[in-house]
Amino acid sequence: MRILVLNSGSSSIKFKLFSMQDSKVLASGLIEQIGEEQGRASLKGGAGVKLEREGKIADHGDGLSLMLAMLSEAALINRLDELDGIGHRVVHGGEAFHEPTVIDADVMAAIEKLSPLAPLHNPANLAGIRVVVEKDPELPQVAVFDTAFHQSIPKYAYLYALPYQLYEQEHVRRYGFHGTSHHYVAKAAAAYLEKSSESLNMITLHLGNGASACAIRAGESVDTSMGLTPLEGLIMGTRSGDIDPAILFYLAREKGISIDGLDALLNKQSGLKGICGSNDMREITDRAQEGDERSLLALEMVSHRLKKYIGAYTAVLGRVDVIVFTGGIGENAASLREESCAGLEEGLGIEIDPEKNRMRKSGVFTISTESSRVKVLVVPTDEELEIALQTVMAISAAHR
Ligand code: ADP
């Protein structure tokens, strides 16, 4: 069974082709700078196959044609109908979608209707879906939503204390994101510990360029740090995470910064970049080791914020069995993992073993001590594989 996973952005399409019998990646690639003067495309396949293309890529349709031509050149597939299905990452599923959903005209209309909640992402995701419908209307396509896993969060946790009509009429509430990743690492952690997901309470920390924390009770998300948009919560590469919202009124009044200016300030110029000038954790860690004060400060701020969420979600869950670190930073930045759990030994029973934490291993590994009440794990995330798995599930459920 062959499943293609597509993650379409406004000017790019990431793709991964899986053989589902053994969950093996047959090829992965990226189509970039769609619509610009000079587009680029690359594909990596097994046995050292590497293809690269340059030239104008007019739109998503062109991009997908180019991807197919490259997959054919790599002797993987020649036509879309050789696939068993396509799984699309769709960022915002609002309250309409709780699970992976086979795409039809109604689902496409619903994704479009949700676009005001994710104006950069949903229209791009939809463009990818539409192009496939045009090329091969019979091919099963599944939408896997970043928000879906968090639909189990109870109302008292997802509502903001704003006038209730804003929820009813404008759909203002916490939705949460990175759901596919939180779900995947929670299942992988349970499998590694040889326990059922239902028997475990977990805090999962997805730390990449975007970062979010999730409280998971018996396999279900019960709270998460991102909100209506992916801006809330942890300190991220270029996003501020939690701030006092009144800072915005203050800056607008005192400095005359426009709404768009404030949007760019909080989403693109803040976070690690705003504090120390870089959003690359490797660079920041290196600079901190050389004694750069702002880099040290940025790291302290990030681990302080993480610690606050670990504490808050411990209280939400009542009992925590497992903490999972994942994402480019969570999987690699050992000192940040140690700092964010430092001081939680006695109160919360979270004890990191410095040696285990600093050992680089592939796959899932434990970084807590034998005596730690809470198991702390590093679990590499694989959102594309999770999308492929959910795509297979949704297609077979639809055939039942
Ligand atoms: P995205 O959210 O874009 O998928 P990733 O999950 O790839 O991002 O995470 C990107 C972050 O991971 C960057 O800050 C990068 O510096 C950091 N990172 C990647 N490798 C390492 C490493 N070996 N050590 C520390 N940080 C790393």
Side-chain angles (χ1 to χ4, degrees):
M1 197 172 192
R2 277 188 289 185
I3 298 288
L4 181 69
V5 172
L6 294 182
N7 183 353
S8 310
S10 52
S11 62
S12 68
I13 305 171
K14 270 195 219 159
F15 63 90
K16 232 177 204 183
L17 178 65
F18 287 91
S19 153
M20 297 312 290
Q21 280 81 358
D22 45 5
S23 298
K24 202 173 128 201
V25 180
L26 300 175
S28 62
L30 179 62
I31 318 283
E32 292 173 277
Q33 282 135 6
I34 296 174
E36 291 175 28
E37 273 307 299
Q38 181 80 310
R40 282 194 310 189
S42 59
L43 176 146
K44 263 198 226 160
V49 175
K50 237 180 170 181
L51 302 175
E52 285 187 12
R53 295 278 178 282
E54 274 188 7
K56 179 137 181 99
I57 305 166
D59 51 27
H60 283 71
D62 251 16
L64 284 191
S65 301
L66 185 57
M67 176 195 71
L68 273 180
M70 291 167 87
L71 285 169
S72 170
E73 194 176 325
L76 289 163
I77 56 164
N78 295 308
R79 294 188 321 270
L80 283 175
D81 65 9
E82 291 169 34
L83 293 168
D84 296 282
I86 296 190
H88 292 268
R89 173 186 182 222
V90 180
V91 166
H92 221 304
E95 292 188 326
F97 298 104
H98 299 231
E99 54 189 11
T101 305
V102 176
I103 298 170
D104 59 17
D106 290 345
V107 172
M108 285 164 68
I111 295 172
E112 182 155 39
K113 213 167 142 210
L114 289 162
S115 286
L117 289 172
L120 295 180
H121 293 101
N122 273 31
N125 304 152
L126 204 51
I129 295 169
R130 286 204 173 111
V131 168
V132 177
V133 172
E134 272 166 34
K135 285 185 186 292
D136 184 352
E138 299 302 316
L139 181 65
Q141 297 196 74
V142 173
V144 179
F145 299 92
D146 260 24
T147 48
F149 181 58
H150 302 300
Q151 280 297 301
S152 46
I153 295 176
K155 194 165 193 172
Y156 57 77
Y158 72 63
L159 270 193
Y160 293 109
L162 293 167
Y164 195 78
Q165 312 82 277
L166 287 181
Y167 167 60
E168 288 180 309
Q169 290 159 20
E170 308 301 330
H171 316 290
V172 173
R173 53 160 284 184
R174 174 183 313 286
Y175 290 98
F177 299 87
H178 290 145
T180 310
S181 176
H182 288 295
H183 194 184
Y184 176 82
V185 297
K187 286 191 295 183
Y192 169 81
L193 296 170
E194 298 181 349
K195 298 227 163 99
S196 69
S197 294
E198 290 70 32
S199 67
L200 295 170
N201 286 351
M202 297 194 198
I203 299 172
T204 50
L205 302 166
H206 177 107
L207 313 177
N209 275 315
S212 66
C214 183
I216 302 176
R217 176 177 289 127
E220 294 195 333
S221 170
V222 293
D223 207 350
T224 193
S225 58
M226 283 179 167
L228 174 76
T229 76
L231 180 56
E232 194 180 345
L234 301 174
I235 295 175
M236 309 180 215
T238 62
R239 289 175 239 162
S240 62
D242 298 334
I243 62 163
D244 178 350
I247 293 170
L248 302 178
F249 326 141
Y250 175 76
L251 291 176
R253 289 193 191 112
E254 294 297 314
K255 293 277 210 182
I257 304 179
S258 66
I259 294 289
D260 286 345
L262 291 171
D263 188 329
L265 183 77
L266 262 60
N267 274 302
K268 302 205 170 116
Q269 297 150 20
S270 296
L272 290 167
K273 191 169 184 197
I275 298 299
C276 70
S278 168
N279 57 342
D280 182 340
M281 187 49 85
R282 279 165 290 207
E283 196 179 319
I284 299 168
T285 316
D286 288 349
R287 284 205 218 147
Q289 270 164 3
E290 290 158 12
D292 179 62
E293 278 185 25
R294 290 286 191 85
S295 301
L296 277 165
L297 176 63
L299 292 176
E300 281 172 345
M301 289 172 69
V302 168
S303 40
H304 179 68
R305 182 78 52 91
L306 274 165
K307 199 173 293 193
K308 289 212 288 194
Y309 270 92
I310 292 171
Y313 287 174
T314 300
V316 165
L317 291 168
R319 182 201 84 228
V320 178
D321 304 298
V322 187
I323 293 178
V324 173
F325 283 91
T326 193
I329 295 174
E331 290 164 35
N332 295 296
S335 53
L336 191 81
R337 294 194 296 251
E338 199 173 325
E339 286 305 316
S340 42
C341 294
L344 305 182
E345 297 82 3
E346 205 183 332
L348 302 188
I350 302 168
E351 235 173 69
I352 301 282
D353 180 326
E355 250 174 62
K356 287 190 200 163
N357 184 38
R358 276 169 198 279
M359 253 188 313
R360 268 183 182 278
K361 285 197 188 163
S362 57
V364 183
F365 61 99
T366 306
I367 59 168
S368 48
T369 60
E370 289 292 329
S371 58
S372 180
R373 264 203 330 270
V374 179
K375 277 240 179 275
V376 188
L377 307 180
V378 174
V379 182
T381 194
D382 195 338
E383 287 165 284
E384 287 88 7
L385 175 60
E386 179 65 20
I387 292 173
L389 293 168
Q390 295 199 12
T391 299
V392 172
M393 265 168 38
I395 293 173
S396 37
H399 280 139
R400 239 177 266 140

